[in-house]
């Protein structure tokens, strides 16, 4: 891929400064990786360019694309971080460093430990800069696309890791396009037999249906034009292999029960035109009862919005029609930030706990109070500017939104959220009041630590319990930081007959 191609993939044109930055990084990385080859025999430089291309297509800013071009330079070549900082600035160097650190996952212990370690690193990296995680996702996608050049055991390990760690994160970020491709690539390596089965099935069916899908597109275009509903695009869409496989499994492999094998997607300019278009589709083709899903009024938990309806299309054949605005389409395919802000505004509540829940798979009771999310409010006003100034936008996302919050881990990998300066006692009471009452010592990152030691972001904290102690220590009230710990200590002391002034 040439530099020109890379630049042209972006949905919006870059200005002069941005173009120069990317151009410089392109040449710099090409020089740095000179002579290095990939397993495929191609020059190594192909990999950072393809990684950057994935992000360019997603509409990421020039800083992100620059850092993506340089993402393996620090790790795999002679180039130092100082050089990157000097040539490309602090921000790019910071992201490259983050990506490198995130990639240095130590393989140790059981599979589960490895998994949690990854998740932890992802999480902490994200706390510092979401762009680091996006580059890692794009990097992984390109590596998955070229996995055939690796030995089978490595293919299995990487595909499994991708399915368990990268896919859920991509899903959570609402990057449907990237998630779908990652899933299909994993599916191919992890379950080749079923992959081939679905591949064959879809090919045959697609060929059979292509003709009437084209017919439906022509009919709908005509109808929408007649009723003056503006249309941005109408296209047919084949279902992703993995999601089709899951659906087939749920329907005991009966392909005739799957109605969205080939769907038509109508993209219109606004929300109101979505509903207008829906009316026209239903006038033209009889809808199937109980198959209208309005994810615009009720978005999916990851923010996905669209209207889906199943109709009896041309020749009475069943087909699915998806209707969405251009903005929704971009969000569903690529947009992470836009989607987050939208979800926040739409639900009019904090998305942060929900997001964390999805990432860690369980509910966390310590929700961030809404008034602490003012930066999110500021961000939503940026919304319209996002398209114009992606770099600034991403920079603002870097605002350390965990500044006043610390996330520490239990040995089981549970996340405990604490205020700044939180101690092992706050941590213990956050787990359970009994754990607090019986706390005798603490291991922070496997090192014995005093109970009033401030915990830091990412610390692994283990509370050592004693069986014989029934009451908490009164001294703890001097240093605990959470209201929860304070009130529980007092309650336990009172219950134990200790008088409190
Ligand atoms: Mn890489």
């Amino acid at each position: 891929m040439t530099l020109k191609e890379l630049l042209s993939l972006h949905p919006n044109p870059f200005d002069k400064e941005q173009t120069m930055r990317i151009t410089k990084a392109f040449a710099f990385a090409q020089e740095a990786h000179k002579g290095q080859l990939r397993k495929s025999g191609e020059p190594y430089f192909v990999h950072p360019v393809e990684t950057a291309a994935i992000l360019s297509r997603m509409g990421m800013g020039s800083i992100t694309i620059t850092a993506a071009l340089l993402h393996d330079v620090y790790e795999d070549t002679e180039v130092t971080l100082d050089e990157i900082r000097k040539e490309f600035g602090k921000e790019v160097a910071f992201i490259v460093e983050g990506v490198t650190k995130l990639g240095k996952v130590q393989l140790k212990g059981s599979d589960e430990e490895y998994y949690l370690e990854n998740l932890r690193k992802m999480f902490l990296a994200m706390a510092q800069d979401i762009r680091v995680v996006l580059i890692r996702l794009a990097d992984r996608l390109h590596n998955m696309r070229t996995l055939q050049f690796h030995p089978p055991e490595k293919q299995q390990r990487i595909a499994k890791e991708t399915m368990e760690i990268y896919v859920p994160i991509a899903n959570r970020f609402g990057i449907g396009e990237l998630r779908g491709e990652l899933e299909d690539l994993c599916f191919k390596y992890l379950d080749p037999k079923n992959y081939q089965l679905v591949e064959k099935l879809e090919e045959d069916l697609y060929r059979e249906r292509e003709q009437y899908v084209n017919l439906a597109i022509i009919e709908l275009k005509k109808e929408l034009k007649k009723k003056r509903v503006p249309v941005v695009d109408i296209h047919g869409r084949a279902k992703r292999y993995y999601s089709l496989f899951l659906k087939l499994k749920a329907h005991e492999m009966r392909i005739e029960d799957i109605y969205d094998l080939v769907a038509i997607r109508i993209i219109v300019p606004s929300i109101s035109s979505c509903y207008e278009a829906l009316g026209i589709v239903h006038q033209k083709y009889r809808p199937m009862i109980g198959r209208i899903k309005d994810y615009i009024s009720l978005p999916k938990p990851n923010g996905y919005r669209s209207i889906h309806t199943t109709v009896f299309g041309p020749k009475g054949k069943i087909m699915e029609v998806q209707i969405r605005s251009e903005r929704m389409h971009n969000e569903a395919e690529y947009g992470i930030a836009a989607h987050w802000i939208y979800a926040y505004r739409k639900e009019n509540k904090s998305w942060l706990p929900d997001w964390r829940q999805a990432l860690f798979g369980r509910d966390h009771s310590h929700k961030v109070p809404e008034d602490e999310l003012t930066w999110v409010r500021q961000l939503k006003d940026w919304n319209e500017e996002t398209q114009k100034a992606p770099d600034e936008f991403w920079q603002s996302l870097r605002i350390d939104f965990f500044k006043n919050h610390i996330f520490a881990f239990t040995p089981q990998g549970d996340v405990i959220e604490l205020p700044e300066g939180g101690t092992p006692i706050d941590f213990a009471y956050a787990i359970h009041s009994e754990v607090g009452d019986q706390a005798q010592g603490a291991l922070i990152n496997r090192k014995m630590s005093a109970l009033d030691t401030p915990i830091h972001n990412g610390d692994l904290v283990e509370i050592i319990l004693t069986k014989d102690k029934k009451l908490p220590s009164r001294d703890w009230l001097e240093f605990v930081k959470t209201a929860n710990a304070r009130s529980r200590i007092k309650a336990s002391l009172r219950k134990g007959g200790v008088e409190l002034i």
Side-chain angles (χ1 to χ4, degrees), residues 310-329:
T310 305
V311 299
F312 295 91
K315 302 171 194 165
K317 286 200 177 180
I318 296 168
M319 65 176 194
E320 188 183 81
V321 180
Q322 301 181 350
I323 305 164
R324 50 170 81 155
S325 74
E326 201 172 4
R327 163 106 188 265
M328 293 170 200
H329 184 60

Side-chain angles (χ1 to χ4, degrees), residues 91 127 211 316:
E91 208 178 345
Q211 216 182 351

Side-chain angles (χ1 to χ4, degrees), residues 71-72 74-75 95-104 136:
H71 85 268
D72 280 329
Y74 171 47
E75 183 157 24
I95 298 169
V96 171
E97 190 185 6
V99 174
T100 307
K101 273 198 219 154
L102 196 55
K104 281 192 180 145
R136 267 285 160 225

Side-chain angles (χ1 to χ4, degrees), residues 44 47 51 71-72 136 139 143:
Y44 192 88
H47 168 66
T51 304
H71 85 268
D72 280 329
R136 267 285 160 225
D139 169 66
N143 285 334

Side-chain angles (χ1 to χ4, degrees), residues 344 368-375 377:
Y344 176 78
V368 181
E370 258 217 65
D371 54 357
E372 290 182 28
L373 287 170
T374 42
W375 71 275
R377 293 219 175 80

